[in-house]
Amino acid sequence: KQSPLGTNSNVLLLRTNSLTAFTPKGHLKLITENASGYNMILARQIDNYVLIRPKLTGDRRTNTGGAGEWGYGLTIYESSNGYIEKPYIRDMWGDGLYIGKAWGTPSNDVPTNITVIEPNIKGCRRNGIALTSWDNVRIVRPVVSNVGDYDDIKGTWPKAAIDVEPEFAEGSP
């Protein structure tokens, strides 16, 4: 069953006018899921947020679901004025960093004025960074490696370090 935010599973939800900072030893590690989708950290329908040094490890090596590609590390859906500094993202079932609309969202709202500084992303099954719809998004000095078929685990297409795949409101041409 999907949550009211239109996603299967969320670990940490960011809030409007918030600052979330991980300590140097702070780390979110996903317990093995049997799910095709999750968001370890989600920004959706919020404004003015800051996220500092999130360290995330997904379940790419241990997921038992076998299908799907929507296990995301850091997910930025319809939101504005977000600043993310030095996210460290490993082993996602899907994309490490996803910026865009939730698939099939009927509104034309997109992530706006988002800055991501020095993301370090490795070992994602689908894409390191996926960009689907946005307005004024900056990604500064990204490092993305080992995406797709890696470590004896079969990836899912498009298996790109950075994937740009335009998405629009449901019912739009």
Side-chain angles (χ1 to χ4, degrees):
K1 182 175 179 181
Q2 289 191 331
S3 76
L5 291 176
T7 55
N8 294 331
S9 199
N10 302 305
V11 176
L12 177 65
L13 297 173
L14 300 180
R15 301 181 64 120
T16 290
N17 298 322
S18 67
L19 165 64
T20 305
F22 281 59
T23 64
K25 292 185 180 182
H27 184 189
L28 283 178
K29 185 173 183 354
L30 189 67
I31 296 171
T32 297
E33 287 285 324
N34 186 17
S36 61
Y38 55 79
N39 300 290
M40 290 195 68
I41 296 181
L42 174 64
R44 186 166 196 193
Q45 298 172 345
I46 63 171
D47 302 303
N48 306 315
Y49 56 95
V50 175
L51 177 61
I52 305 293
R53 291 182 312 275
K55 185 175 180 183
L56 311 175
T57 302
D59 68 343
R60 179 183 65 87
R61 297 171 194 234
T62 58
N63 186 300
T64 57
E69 57 194 40
W70 307 282
Y72 300 154
L74 176 54
T75 308
I76 310 295
Y77 285 149
E78 304 85 4
S79 63
S80 65
N81 303 316
Y83 177 85
I84 296 101
E85 185 176 291
K86 296 186 177 182
Y88 179 90
I89 301 170
R90 296 292 185 267
D91 292 328
M92 294 303 144
W93 187 245
D95 301 335
L97 171 61
Y98 182 98
I99 299 176
K101 295 165 56 68
W103 187 85
T105 302
S107 81
N108 285 315
D109 295 336
V110 298
T112 304
N113 299 327
I114 309 296
T115 300
V116 183
I117 304 294
E118 297 179 0
N120 187 309
I121 302 168
K122 182 177 181 180
C124 297
R125 193 168 151 263
R126 184 171 180 263
N127 298 313
I129 299 172
L131 299 163
T132 67
S133 55
W134 67 92
D135 183 8
N136 193 31
V137 168
R138 294 179 343 132
I139 300 175
V140 180
R141 293 184 299 278
V143 175
V144 180
S145 62
N146 302 348
V147 174
D149 301 330
Y150 175 71
D151 206 19
D152 294 323
I153 295 171
K154 184 162 178 52
T156 186
W157 292 100
K159 304 179 195 179
I162 299 175
D163 174 44
V164 178
E165 60 181 74
E167 198 160 0
F168 46 83
E170 191 174 296
S172 297

